[in-house]
Amino acid sequence: MWRPERLLLGPRMASPADIESLNRVFADAFTERYHRDGLVGVRVPQLNPDIWRYALRDAGAGAMLWYDEHDGLVAFNMVHRSGAEGWMGPLAVRTDRQEMGVGRTIVSAAIDWLSTQGVSTIGLETMPRTVENIGFYSRMGFAPNHLTVTMTGHAARRRVAGKVVRLSELRPDERSALAERCRRRLEQSARGYDYRREMDLTAELALGDTIVVEGDRDVAGFAIWHSAALVGGRPSEELRVLKLFADSIETFVRLLVALEGCAAAVGVRLVAIRCQTGLTHAYGALVERGYHVRWTDLRMTLEGYAEPTLPESEVLFSNWEI
């Protein structure tokens, strides 16, 4: 009986030249996963190449690829580090090489790489109904935490209380100074976390923007968002929040109003926020504001590398997907 070769070469660092292969493996692997879960009518589309370019630049040396003996892409793992926060995603194994130990190889490589980077958090997200994935990651040392619930609200132009700044409206020196103030404020609540690279890449690749809510004495909150289409060949329909910090629920609501206004300004209908439901006060605020649940993921962290515990009133959403 014919069996595929088991040779696995890598990891190699991904480049923009690999985007076509990444898209093909990504779409096929996730479509197969949905079919195995009983969703036989689902076909996962390929992503917008600009989104892959962002993921590759954001991951840097953590953008890992593995190949077969014919130089065909077998697997990938996009491994990211934002200061002390480390996470992996997306990751996938080519359908004909699944259940051969490749998944363990690529996750182990990510853990090894992140542990050498001095991070305090190592995490990932997976589909909660996919029990095989949960069991696999658990055997790798990850423990399930709370759900991440993707919620959507409608674009609207409303007045935001207080001062709200868009980084794109500032001079380069002013942008750098305000981004540094955001880092210093975040450091007070999540030691070592740093989202300046995401701010810079978002601006450089023209995918979205960053908004900052000013408080009486310091930055009160900020949000990095993308409005570029997620799926290749389709128009953009939503503004997606990548990272969000707020020093209080009041600041969080101000950010929501500002984000809804940004969505209206760029001509998209929806604001999509991946809400970590461990922060029940933020989840309640979204429900009260009329946001609807669209999708769920299970957030998992490696033993000894949990997420920081925030002061009770604060909000920190960090999207562990692209």
Short mmCIF file of all heavy atoms in Angstrom, two decimals, residues 252-295:
data_model
loop_
_atom_site.label_atom_id
_atom_site.label_comp_id
_atom_site.label_asym_id
_atom_site.label_seq_id
_atom_site.Cartn_x
_atom_site.Cartn_y
_atom_site.Cartn_z
N PHE A 252 -13.06 52.00 28.09
CA PHE A 252 -13.39 50.95 27.12
C PHE A 252 -14.58 51.37 26.25
O PHE A 252 -14.55 51.23 25.02
CB PHE A 252 -13.70 49.65 27.86
CG PHE A 252 -14.09 48.49 26.99
CD1 PHE A 252 -13.25 48.03 25.99
CD2 PHE A 252 -15.31 47.84 27.16
CE1 PHE A 252 -13.61 46.96 25.18
CE2 PHE A 252 -15.68 46.78 26.38
CZ PHE A 252 -14.82 46.33 25.37
N VAL A 253 -15.62 51.91 26.86
CA VAL A 253 -16.79 52.35 26.11
C VAL A 253 -16.42 53.52 25.19
O VAL A 253 -16.88 53.59 24.03
CB VAL A 253 -17.94 52.72 27.05
CG1 VAL A 253 -19.09 53.36 26.28
CG2 VAL A 253 -18.43 51.49 27.80
N ARG A 254 -15.57 54.42 25.66
CA ARG A 254 -15.10 55.51 24.79
C ARG A 254 -14.36 54.95 23.58
O ARG A 254 -14.52 55.44 22.46
CB ARG A 254 -14.20 56.45 25.58
CG ARG A 254 -14.92 57.31 26.61
CD ARG A 254 -13.95 58.05 27.50
NE ARG A 254 -13.14 59.01 26.76
CZ ARG A 254 -12.05 59.61 27.26
NH1 ARG A 254 -11.64 59.31 28.50
NH2 ARG A 254 -11.38 60.48 26.54
N LEU A 255 -13.55 53.93 23.79
CA LEU A 255 -12.86 53.30 22.66
C LEU A 255 -13.85 52.67 21.69
O LEU A 255 -13.67 52.77 20.47
CB LEU A 255 -11.88 52.24 23.19
CG LEU A 255 -10.53 52.74 23.69
CD1 LEU A 255 -9.79 51.61 24.39
CD2 LEU A 255 -9.68 53.29 22.54
N LEU A 256 -14.88 52.02 22.22
CA LEU A 256 -15.88 51.42 21.33
C LEU A 256 -16.56 52.48 20.47
O LEU A 256 -16.74 52.28 19.26
CB LEU A 256 -16.93 50.68 22.16
CG LEU A 256 -16.48 49.42 22.90
CD1 LEU A 256 -17.65 48.83 23.70
CD2 LEU A 256 -15.93 48.38 21.93
N VAL A 257 -16.93 53.60 21.07
CA VAL A 257 -17.57 54.67 20.31
C VAL A 257 -16.62 55.18 19.22
O VAL A 257 -17.02 55.40 18.08
CB VAL A 257 -18.00 55.82 21.25
CG1 VAL A 257 -18.55 57.00 20.43
CG2 VAL A 257 -19.04 55.34 22.25
N ALA A 258 -15.34 55.35 19.59
CA ALA A 258 -14.36 55.82 18.62
C ALA A 258 -14.14 54.81 17.51
O ALA A 258 -14.02 55.18 16.33
CB ALA A 258 -13.04 56.13 19.33
N LEU A 259 -14.08 53.52 17.84
CA LEU A 259 -13.89 52.48 16.83
C LEU A 259 -15.08 52.41 15.88
O LEU A 259 -14.92 52.23 14.67
CB LEU A 259 -13.68 51.13 17.51
CG LEU A 259 -12.34 50.94 18.21
CD1 LEU A 259 -12.39 49.74 19.15
CD2 LEU A 259 -11.21 50.77 17.20
N GLU A 260 -16.28 52.55 16.42
CA GLU A 260 -17.47 52.56 15.57
C GLU A 260 -17.43 53.74 14.60
O GLU A 260 -17.83 53.63 13.44
CB GLU A 260 -18.72 52.60 16.44
CG GLU A 260 -18.95 51.31 17.23
CD GLU A 260 -19.81 51.48 18.47
OE1 GLU A 260 -20.37 52.58 18.66
OE2 GLU A 260 -19.90 50.53 19.25
N GLY A 261 -16.92 54.87 15.07
CA GLY A 261 -16.76 56.03 14.21
C GLY A 261 -15.69 55.82 13.15
O GLY A 261 -15.86 56.23 11.99
N CYS A 262 -14.59 55.15 13.52
CA CYS A 262 -13.54 54.83 12.53
C CYS A 262 -14.09 53.91 11.45
O CYS A 262 -13.79 54.08 10.26
CB CYS A 262 -12.36 54.17 13.23
SG CYS A 262 -11.37 55.27 14.28
N ALA A 263 -14.91 52.94 11.84
CA ALA A 263 -15.51 52.03 10.86
C ALA A 263 -16.37 52.80 9.88
O ALA A 263 -16.32 52.58 8.66
CB ALA A 263 -16.32 50.95 11.58
N ALA A 264 -17.19 53.71 10.39
CA ALA A 264 -18.04 54.51 9.51
C ALA A 264 -17.19 55.37 8.58
O ALA A 264 -17.51 55.53 7.39
CB ALA A 264 -18.97 55.39 10.35
N ALA A 265 -16.08 55.90 9.09
CA ALA A 265 -15.23 56.79 8.29
C ALA A 265 -14.56 56.05 7.14
O ALA A 265 -14.35 56.64 6.07
CB ALA A 265 -14.18 57.45 9.19
N VAL A 266 -14.21 54.78 7.34
CA VAL A 266 -13.54 54.03 6.26
C VAL A 266 -14.53 53.24 5.41
O VAL A 266 -14.13 52.54 4.47
CB VAL A 266 -12.45 53.09 6.82
CG1 VAL A 266 -11.37 53.87 7.53
CG2 VAL A 266 -13.04 52.01 7.74
N GLY A 267 -15.82 53.34 5.73
CA GLY A 267 -16.85 52.76 4.87
C GLY A 267 -17.13 51.28 5.07
O GLY A 267 -17.55 50.61 4.12
N VAL A 268 -16.91 50.76 6.29
CA VAL A 268 -17.28 49.36 6.57
C VAL A 268 -18.44 49.34 7.56
O VAL A 268 -18.67 50.29 8.30
CB VAL A 268 -16.07 48.55 7.12
CG1 VAL A 268 -14.99 48.46 6.07
CG2 VAL A 268 -15.53 49.14 8.42
N ARG A 269 -19.17 48.23 7.55
CA ARG A 269 -20.43 48.17 8.31
C ARG A 269 -20.27 47.79 9.77
O ARG A 269 -21.09 48.14 10.60
CB ARG A 269 -21.38 47.16 7.66
CG ARG A 269 -21.77 47.44 6.23
CD ARG A 269 -22.76 46.42 5.72
NE ARG A 269 -22.26 45.06 5.80
CZ ARG A 269 -22.67 44.14 6.65
NH1 ARG A 269 -23.63 44.42 7.51
NH2 ARG A 269 -22.16 42.93 6.63
N LEU A 270 -19.22 47.01 10.08
CA LEU A 270 -19.13 46.37 11.38
C LEU A 270 -17.80 46.63 12.08
O LEU A 270 -16.79 46.87 11.43
CB LEU A 270 -19.32 44.85 11.23
CG LEU A 270 -20.64 44.36 10.64
CD1 LEU A 270 -20.57 42.86 10.40
CD2 LEU A 270 -21.81 44.70 11.56
N VAL A 271 -17.85 46.54 13.39
CA VAL A 271 -16.65 46.49 14.23
C VAL A 271 -16.59 45.10 14.85
O VAL A 271 -17.58 44.64 15.45
CB VAL A 271 -16.70 47.55 15.35
CG1 VAL A 271 -15.50 47.39 16.29
CG2 VAL A 271 -16.72 48.95 14.76
N ALA A 272 -15.47 44.39 14.68
CA ALA A 272 -15.31 43.04 15.22
C ALA A 272 -14.26 43.07 16.33
O ALA A 272 -13.14 43.54 16.12
CB ALA A 272 -14.89 42.07 14.13
N ILE A 273 -14.64 42.57 17.49
CA ILE A 273 -13.76 42.54 18.66
C ILE A 273 -13.71 41.11 19.19
O ILE A 273 -14.75 40.47 19.38
CB ILE A 273 -14.27 43.49 19.76
CG1 ILE A 273 -14.18 44.94 19.28
CG2 ILE A 273 -13.46 43.31 21.04
CD1 ILE A 273 -14.58 45.94 20.33
N ARG A 274 -12.49 40.61 19.40
CA ARG A 274 -12.32 39.30 20.00
C ARG A 274 -12.20 39.49 21.52
O ARG A 274 -11.14 39.84 22.03
CB ARG A 274 -11.10 38.60 19.41
CG ARG A 274 -11.29 38.26 17.93
CD ARG A 274 -10.02 37.76 17.28
NE ARG A 274 -9.53 36.52 17.89
CZ ARG A 274 -9.96 35.31 17.57
NH1 ARG A 274 -10.90 35.16 16.65
NH2 ARG A 274 -9.45 34.25 18.14
N CYS A 275 -13.30 39.25 22.20
CA CYS A 275 -13.42 39.53 23.63
C CYS A 275 -12.98 38.32 24.44
O CYS A 275 -13.56 37.24 24.31
CB CYS A 275 -14.87 39.89 23.96
SG CYS A 275 -15.20 40.03 25.74
N GLN A 276 -11.96 38.49 25.27
CA GLN A 276 -11.56 37.44 26.20
C GLN A 276 -12.55 37.43 27.37
O GLN A 276 -12.60 38.38 28.16
CB GLN A 276 -10.12 37.65 26.69
CG GLN A 276 -9.06 37.18 25.71
CD GLN A 276 -8.67 38.25 24.69
OE1 GLN A 276 -8.03 39.23 25.04
NE2 GLN A 276 -9.06 38.08 23.43
N THR A 277 -13.32 36.37 27.47
CA THR A 277 -14.45 36.36 28.39
C THR A 277 -14.06 36.22 29.85
O THR A 277 -14.93 36.28 30.72
CB THR A 277 -15.44 35.24 28.02
OG1 THR A 277 -14.74 34.00 27.97
CG2 THR A 277 -16.08 35.52 26.67
N GLY A 278 -12.77 36.05 30.13
CA GLY A 278 -12.33 36.15 31.52
C GLY A 278 -12.57 37.54 32.07
O GLY A 278 -12.67 37.73 33.28
N LEU A 279 -12.66 38.52 31.18
CA LEU A 279 -12.96 39.91 31.56
C LEU A 279 -14.46 40.13 31.44
O LEU A 279 -14.96 40.69 30.48
CB LEU A 279 -12.17 40.87 30.68
CG LEU A 279 -10.65 40.69 30.69
CD1 LEU A 279 -9.98 41.66 29.73
CD2 LEU A 279 -10.09 40.86 32.10
N THR A 280 -15.19 39.65 32.43
CA THR A 280 -16.65 39.64 32.35
C THR A 280 -17.23 41.04 32.30
O THR A 280 -18.30 41.25 31.71
CB THR A 280 -17.25 38.87 33.54
OG1 THR A 280 -16.74 39.43 34.76
CG2 THR A 280 -16.85 37.40 33.50
N HIS A 281 -16.56 42.01 32.92
CA HIS A 281 -17.08 43.38 32.89
C HIS A 281 -17.04 43.94 31.47
O HIS A 281 -17.96 44.64 31.04
CB HIS A 281 -16.31 44.28 33.86
CG HIS A 281 -14.83 44.32 33.66
ND1 HIS A 281 -14.06 43.20 33.45
CD2 HIS A 281 -13.97 45.38 33.63
CE1 HIS A 281 -12.79 43.57 33.31
NE2 HIS A 281 -12.71 44.87 33.41
N ALA A 282 -16.00 43.61 30.71
CA ALA A 282 -15.92 44.08 29.32
C ALA A 282 -16.94 43.35 28.45
O ALA A 282 -17.57 43.96 27.58
CB ALA A 282 -14.51 43.87 28.78
N TYR A 283 -17.10 42.04 28.68
CA TYR A 283 -18.09 41.27 27.94
C TYR A 283 -19.49 41.84 28.17
O TYR A 283 -20.28 42.03 27.23
CB TYR A 283 -18.04 39.80 28.36
CG TYR A 283 -19.04 38.93 27.64
CD1 TYR A 283 -18.83 38.52 26.34
CD2 TYR A 283 -20.21 38.51 28.29
CE1 TYR A 283 -19.75 37.72 25.67
CE2 TYR A 283 -21.13 37.70 27.64
CZ TYR A 283 -20.90 37.31 26.33
OH TYR A 283 -21.82 36.54 25.69
N GLY A 284 -19.79 42.16 29.42
CA GLY A 284 -21.09 42.74 29.74
C GLY A 284 -21.31 44.08 29.06
O GLY A 284 -22.41 44.38 28.60
N ALA A 285 -20.24 44.87 28.98
CA ALA A 285 -20.36 46.17 28.32
C ALA A 285 -20.64 46.01 26.83
O ALA A 285 -21.42 46.78 26.24
CB ALA A 285 -19.08 46.98 28.54
N LEU A 286 -20.04 45.02 26.20
CA LEU A 286 -20.29 44.77 24.78
C LEU A 286 -21.74 44.31 24.55
O LEU A 286 -22.41 44.76 23.61
CB LEU A 286 -19.31 43.72 24.25
CG LEU A 286 -17.87 44.21 24.06
CD1 LEU A 286 -16.92 43.03 23.92
CD2 LEU A 286 -17.77 45.12 22.84
N VAL A 287 -22.21 43.40 25.40
CA VAL A 287 -23.60 42.93 25.28
C VAL A 287 -24.57 44.10 25.47
O VAL A 287 -25.53 44.27 24.70
CB VAL A 287 -23.88 41.81 26.30
CG1 VAL A 287 -25.37 41.47 26.32
CG2 VAL A 287 -23.06 40.58 25.98
N GLU A 288 -24.30 44.91 26.48
CA GLU A 288 -25.18 46.05 26.75
C GLU A 288 -25.19 47.03 25.57
O GLU A 288 -26.22 47.66 25.30
CB GLU A 288 -24.72 46.76 28.02
CG GLU A 288 -25.61 47.91 28.45
CD GLU A 288 -25.17 48.52 29.78
OE1 GLU A 288 -24.27 47.95 30.44
OE2 GLU A 288 -25.72 49.57 30.15
N ARG A 289 -24.08 47.11 24.87
CA ARG A 289 -23.99 48.03 23.74
C ARG A 289 -24.60 47.45 22.47
O ARG A 289 -24.66 48.11 21.44
CB ARG A 289 -22.53 48.42 23.52
CG ARG A 289 -22.34 49.61 22.63
CD ARG A 289 -20.98 50.25 22.70
NE ARG A 289 -20.94 51.39 21.81
CZ ARG A 289 -21.43 52.59 22.08
NH1 ARG A 289 -22.00 52.80 23.27
NH2 ARG A 289 -21.38 53.57 21.21
N GLY A 290 -25.05 46.19 22.53
CA GLY A 290 -25.72 45.59 21.38
C GLY A 290 -24.83 44.77 20.48
O GLY A 290 -25.25 44.39 19.38
N TYR A 291 -23.63 44.45 20.93
CA TYR A 291 -22.74 43.60 20.13
C TYR A 291 -23.26 42.16 20.16
O TYR A 291 -23.76 41.68 21.18
CB TYR A 291 -21.31 43.66 20.66
CG TYR A 291 -20.54 44.87 20.18
CD1 TYR A 291 -20.93 46.15 20.53
CD2 TYR A 291 -19.43 44.73 19.35
CE1 TYR A 291 -20.24 47.27 20.08
CE2 TYR A 291 -18.72 45.83 18.90
CZ TYR A 291 -19.13 47.10 19.27
OH TYR A 291 -18.43 48.20 18.81
N HIS A 292 -23.12 41.47 19.03
CA HIS A 292 -23.63 40.12 18.87
C HIS A 292 -22.47 39.12 18.79
O HIS A 292 -21.44 39.40 18.18
CB HIS A 292 -24.47 40.00 17.60
CG HIS A 292 -25.70 40.86 17.63
ND1 HIS A 292 -26.83 40.52 18.33
CD2 HIS A 292 -25.97 42.05 17.04
CE1 HIS A 292 -27.75 41.46 18.18
NE2 HIS A 292 -27.24 42.40 17.41
N VAL A 293 -22.67 37.95 19.37
CA VAL A 293 -21.67 36.88 19.32
C VAL A 293 -21.69 36.24 17.94
O VAL A 293 -22.75 35.87 17.43
CB VAL A 293 -21.96 35.82 20.40
CG1 VAL A 293 -20.99 34.64 20.26
CG2 VAL A 293 -21.83 36.43 21.79
N ARG A 294 -20.51 36.10 17.33
CA ARG A 294 -20.41 35.53 16.01
C ARG A 294 -19.59 34.23 15.98
O ARG A 294 -19.81 33.36 15.15
CB ARG A 294 -19.79 36.54 15.04
CG ARG A 294 -19.92 36.15 13.57
CD ARG A 294 -19.47 37.28 12.67
NE ARG A 294 -18.02 37.44 12.66
CZ ARG A 294 -17.40 38.45 12.08
NH1 ARG A 294 -18.09 39.42 11.50
NH2 ARG A 294 -16.09 38.53 12.09
N TRP A 295 -18.63 34.11 16.87
CA TRP A 295 -17.71 32.96 16.82
C TRP A 295 -17.07 32.79 18.18
O TRP A 295 -17.00 33.72 18.97
CB TRP A 295 -16.64 33.20 15.76
CG TRP A 295 -15.84 31.98 15.39
CD1 TRP A 295 -14.56 31.68 15.75
CD2 TRP A 295 -16.28 30.87 14.59
NE1 TRP A 295 -14.17 30.47 15.22
CE2 TRP A 295 -15.21 29.96 14.49
CE3 TRP A 295 -17.49 30.58 13.93
CZ2 TRP A 295 -15.31 28.77 13.78
CZ3 TRP A 295 -17.58 29.41 13.22
CH2 TRP A 295 -16.51 28.51 13.15
#
